[in-house]
Amino acid sequence: FLDEIFKANSSILNALLTLLNERKFDNGCTRMDVPLWCVVAASNELPEGEELDALYDRFLLRRAVCDISDQAMQDFMQETLYGAAPPEVEFPLLTPAESAAARR
């Protein structure tokens, strides 16, 4: 997970582009293979400037999220601190075999 991705400096952005495009990471004079299959990033701002366009284009799924209201935040904290019944969920949602098949 990459938080505030568009606030990174140019050397970090170049490393991220190499990682996303080639699945490689330059560690000093050594180039390493990276078994990357998913990257999730967040930012409070959309990219400004051409230098960030290449990175922004690498994220195929994008979701804009509105600010949370003060009341919704208060309700969330109240439920988190003082308990709300968790939703009924059957575990596991996916077996390891189903997860591997979905990635193929």
Side-chain angles (χ1 to χ4, degrees):
F1 177 80
L2 304 170
D3 193 21
E4 293 300 342
I5 188 168
F6 300 119
K7 291 185 178 179
N9 66 36
S10 61
S11 61
I12 297 294
L13 293 173
N14 287 332
L16 284 172
L17 281 172
T18 302
L19 188 69
L20 294 171
N21 288 336
E22 303 173 32
R23 307 298 193 261
K24 306 274 185 195
F25 178 73
D26 294 318
N27 188 9
C29 61
T30 305
R31 182 166 266 206
M32 305 165 55
D33 289 330
V34 178
L36 179 69
W37 62 272
C38 179
V39 174
V40 177
S43 180
N44 286 323
E45 307 153 358
L46 290 176
E48 296 177 9
E50 292 179 18
E51 67 276 1
L52 298 173
D53 288 345
L55 184 62
Y56 184 71
D57 288 343
R58 296 314 182 274
F59 290 92
L60 303 177
L61 302 175
R62 300 176 190 133
R63 173 82 174 152
V65 180
C66 298
D67 293 339
I68 187 169
S69 70
D70 290 340
Q71 184 60 50
M73 180 56 118
Q74 204 170 11
D75 293 345
F76 171 76
M77 294 302 292
Q78 188 79 16
E79 290 176 11
T80 300
L81 292 172
Y82 301 112
E88 294 289 328
V89 178
E90 291 184 34
F91 290 97
L93 298 175
L94 285 176
T95 66
E98 290 169 331
S99 177
R103 286 194 302 260
R104 285 185 218 137

